[in-house]
């Protein structure tokens, strides 16, 4: 049985930097991704807000994971 990719995680400092750039990056011509996140936090319907936060967490994880995994190939 193969290990899940997250079990072999070797932390890279570039993952946190990439997450900050992703989260605070532009998400259109006049908005930032973080503004969309904070707007989604204010959704009143609990189930909808839970679904939105799950999607945000998944996106954030993939951004950090892929950056950390691929950063070794940049050398």
């Amino acid at each position: 049985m193969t290990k899940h990719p997250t079990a072999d995680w070797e932390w890279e400092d570039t993952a946190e930097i990439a997450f900050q750039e992703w989260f605070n990056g532009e998400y259109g011509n006049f908005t930032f991704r973080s503004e969309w996140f904070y707007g989604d936090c204010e959704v009143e319907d609990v189930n909808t807000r839970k679904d939105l936060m799950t999607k945000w967490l998944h996106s954030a994880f993939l951004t950090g994971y892929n950056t950390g995994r691929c950063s070794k190939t940049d050398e």
Side-chain angles (χ1 to χ4, degrees), residues 30-43:
F30 304 104
T31 61
F32 297 101
R33 189 171 279 109
S34 57
E35 292 174 339
W36 285 89
F37 171 77
Y38 295 124
D40 287 348
C41 289
E42 296 176 358
V43 171

Side-chain angles (χ1 to χ4, degrees), residues 9-36:
W9 176 262
E10 292 181 21
W11 181 258
E12 295 285 334
D13 290 337
T14 54
E16 185 174 354
I17 293 167
F19 170 76
Q20 290 293 333
E21 290 174 355
W22 172 80
F23 186 69
N24 295 309
E26 292 181 8
Y27 195 62
N29 292 335
F30 304 104
T31 61
F32 297 101
R33 189 171 279 109
S34 57
E35 292 174 339
W36 285 89

Side-chain angles (χ1 to χ4, degrees), residues 29-59:
N29 292 335
F30 304 104
T31 61
F32 297 101
R33 189 171 279 109
S34 57
E35 292 174 339
W36 285 89
F37 171 77
Y38 295 124
D40 287 348
C41 289
E42 296 176 358
V43 171
E44 294 201 17
D45 180 54
V46 175
N47 290 328
T48 302
R49 186 172 58 237
K50 182 179 177 181
D51 290 341
L52 290 169
M53 293 303 110
T54 300
K55 290 176 183 176
W56 276 103
L57 287 170
H58 185 253
S59 295

